[in-house]
Amino acid sequence: MAVAEKEYTISDLAKEFEITSRSIRHYEDEKLISPQRRGTHRIYSSRDRVRLQLILRGKRLGFSLAEIREIIDLYDLPEGEQKQTQLLLGLIQERRAALLQQRKDINFMLKELDMLEAKLD
């Protein structure tokens, strides 16, 4: 006997991930998730839920939707997991380098502000 796949409504996912339904619809418009339709209702699968989780993690890490799409889409290809890992490692290195440069820039600006403040005191 086949086990029925768990299904989610847009409200279920919005509540679980603490995002708006509008955000979920945006990811759908961007073709990052593709729920089934039952009349006017969207029905999300476990696969959609996992994809949404990956999208949100990618956004928190500062990846663009295009980069997130590329990562997620690779997973569905033959040998996709290995290619996905290689792509993700490259993106992580790029993101880390950008953040380290931002930290350097911020530290420099803070020192400049300290020096200016000291001169004005």
Side-chain angles (χ1 to χ4, degrees):
M1 182 171 170
V3 176
E5 183 178 339
K6 184 151 173 64
E7 295 178 341
Y8 304 88
T9 65
I10 197 166
S11 299
D12 294 336
L13 294 178
K15 184 184 288 186
E16 178 180 352
F17 293 109
E18 298 179 350
I19 59 175
T20 64
S21 297
R22 184 175 179 217
S23 294
I24 295 171
R25 285 190 299 271
H26 175 69
Y27 299 136
E28 183 182 343
D29 291 343
E30 293 290 325
K31 308 279 189 263
L32 292 166
I33 53 177
S34 52
Q36 295 178 11
R37 300 276 184 164
R38 289 199 190 129
T40 59
H41 299 285
R42 290 171 169 87
I43 305 298
Y44 296 88
S45 66
S46 295
R47 182 176 186 268
D48 291 318
R49 184 187 165 281
V50 169
R51 289 175 74 97
L52 181 57
Q53 190 173 29
L54 293 172
I55 292 163
L56 297 173
R57 182 178 296 150
K59 293 295 291 174
R60 278 194 310 273
L61 293 173
F63 296 139
S64 70
L65 287 182
E67 291 169 325
I68 293 167
R69 178 181 298 104
E70 191 176 358
I71 293 165
I72 291 174
D73 287 349
L74 277 177
Y75 190 75
D76 293 331
L77 299 175
E79 301 175 13
E81 197 169 339
Q82 182 181 5
K83 290 179 181 179
Q84 184 186 43
T85 300
Q86 291 170 344
L87 174 65
L88 188 54
L89 284 172
L91 290 171
I92 287 170
Q93 290 170 354
E94 289 173 16
R95 185 70 184 136
R96 179 177 284 118
L99 287 170
L100 288 171
Q101 184 59 51
Q102 285 178 333
R103 182 167 53 184
K104 247 189 223 180
D105 295 342
I106 289 169
N107 287 337
F108 179 78
M109 287 188 292
L110 287 171
K111 286 178 187 175
E112 290 285 316
L113 290 171
D114 289 343
M115 289 186 329
L116 181 58
E117 189 176 45
K119 286 181 182 180
L120 295 173
D121 279 345

